[in-house]
Amino acid sequence: MALWDYFQEYSSEHKEGLSKFSFSIVTHLSEFLNFTVTSFQAGKWEVGDKIGPIVRALNDSVADLSGTPMTMNLARTYLVKFVHQDWPFRTCFIFRNPQPKNIKVQELLRPLSEEVWYLMILLLSLSMLVLLAMVRHDWDAQEIMNITHTFLLIIGALCQQGTDMKMKSMSTRIAYLSILIFGLLIYNYYSAGVVSARLSEPIVKINDSLSELANLPLKVSSEFMVYFDFFIKRPDWETTTFYTKRWEFLPESDRFMLPEKAMQLVQTGQYAYHAHPEVAYPYVDRFYDHREICELTEVHLVRPTWSTFALTFNSTIVEIVRIG
């Protein structure tokens, strides 16, 4: 596909969003200021190149205006004239951080304090003694049977179960009914408390740190980017730690993956994918549920910054393009 046709092909607009956004801006600018645009590819970003092919094309006067916004830095300031900040640029590793699904003992005990648990046991013991004293008058059975039936009545009432045991006296029925109501109140409060404790369990997040990401047992890959090697081989400690611990040991065939496949792996968990947010998040919006979205975590390779259109250093149209 010709470069010009590719820029105007919007069925995959979330791919190469930066370049297609830039093309729309420059095309509109050319119509507004009445000049003709001739576009060309600046070439591959070679390893060790600190300024990049677009800046080199501007510096060599091969191009007049960058077709893509670029990151400002000290070295480029003396080679090109920056015009206007247009694109919020960042890249990050995106991965799910699923919460553990095992039930913790603390979550089962947390809804009620220790004092309440002890008081419940004491109250139920007293209720059992009172009910046992009343049952002796209602049932003509051995003592061990009376104790067994009373214990079953207490357990059944707490579990909101009925009984076919006959209760002749009103006092026995009142005692049983009070235990039933007590169990109903405790059951409703306690079950709501357990659900609340489970839902309020904090989602464990890691810091926005490449060194911490390097220690997680996650598979990693990246979207295809012309400047990826430049960013992953930066000499700062965080990036170097991640590169030496994880990226350097990846087979070449596993390092890069298309977003439509990689974001499916991120959804299943245990996978971190490096991409532009404008490329990755359309897949999140379409295919992830609310819980999966809440569990997403970002670790930046390139921190948020504004990328900027640039002209040749001695250009005579700096102010005209800036205003346009």
Side-chain angles (χ1 to χ4, degrees), residues 22-93:
S22 308
F23 174 78
S24 299
I25 292 289
V26 173
T27 303
H28 180 71
L29 188 66
S30 69
E31 295 171 353
F32 182 64
L33 299 177
N34 194 25
F35 62 82
T36 303
V37 175
T38 302
S39 62
F40 69 96
Q41 292 176 277
K44 182 182 178 182
W45 194 323
E46 300 293 343
V47 177
D49 185 359
K50 295 184 177 181
I51 64 173
I54 298 178
V55 174
R56 195 173 301 282
L58 291 171
N59 188 49
D60 295 341
S61 297
V62 177
D64 300 301
L65 171 66
S66 66
T68 302
M70 63 188 71
T71 305
M72 293 184 291
N73 59 37
L74 186 61
R76 291 174 171 177
T77 303
Y78 299 99
L79 301 175
V80 297
K81 186 70 71 174
F82 293 115
V83 180
H84 197 270
Q85 294 177 317
D86 286 272
W87 182 265
F89 180 81
R90 67 189 181 97
T91 70
C92 56
F93 285 92

Side-chain angles (χ1 to χ4, degrees), residues 298-309:
E298 290 182 356
V299 173
H300 285 93
L301 177 61
V302 182
R303 302 280 176 178
T305 184
W306 281 93
S307 55
T308 311
F309 281 103

Side-chain angles (χ1 to χ4, degrees), residues 121-171:
I121 295 172
L122 177 62
L123 182 59
L124 290 175
S125 300
L126 291 174
S127 301
M128 184 175 175
L129 293 175
V130 172
L131 192 60
L132 177 60
M134 297 177 179
V135 162
R136 286 173 177 169
H137 297 284
D138 281 2
W139 299 334
D140 185 14
Q142 297 179 355
E143 187 66 19
I144 187 65
M145 291 299 294
N146 287 335
I147 295 174
T148 303
H149 289 164
T150 303
F151 179 77
L152 290 175
L153 277 175
I154 296 290
I155 297 300
L158 287 177
C159 296
Q160 300 299 291
Q161 300 296 316
T163 179
D164 60 351
M165 297 179 184
K166 295 181 180 180
M167 302 179 191
K168 300 177 181 178
S169 64
M170 185 61 68
S171 58

Side-chain angles (χ1 to χ4, degrees), residues 200-214:
S200 62
E201 186 74 17
I203 294 177
V204 179
K205 297 279 188 180
I206 70 167
N207 292 328
D208 189 358
S209 165
L210 287 170
S211 61
E212 287 195 29
L213 178 63

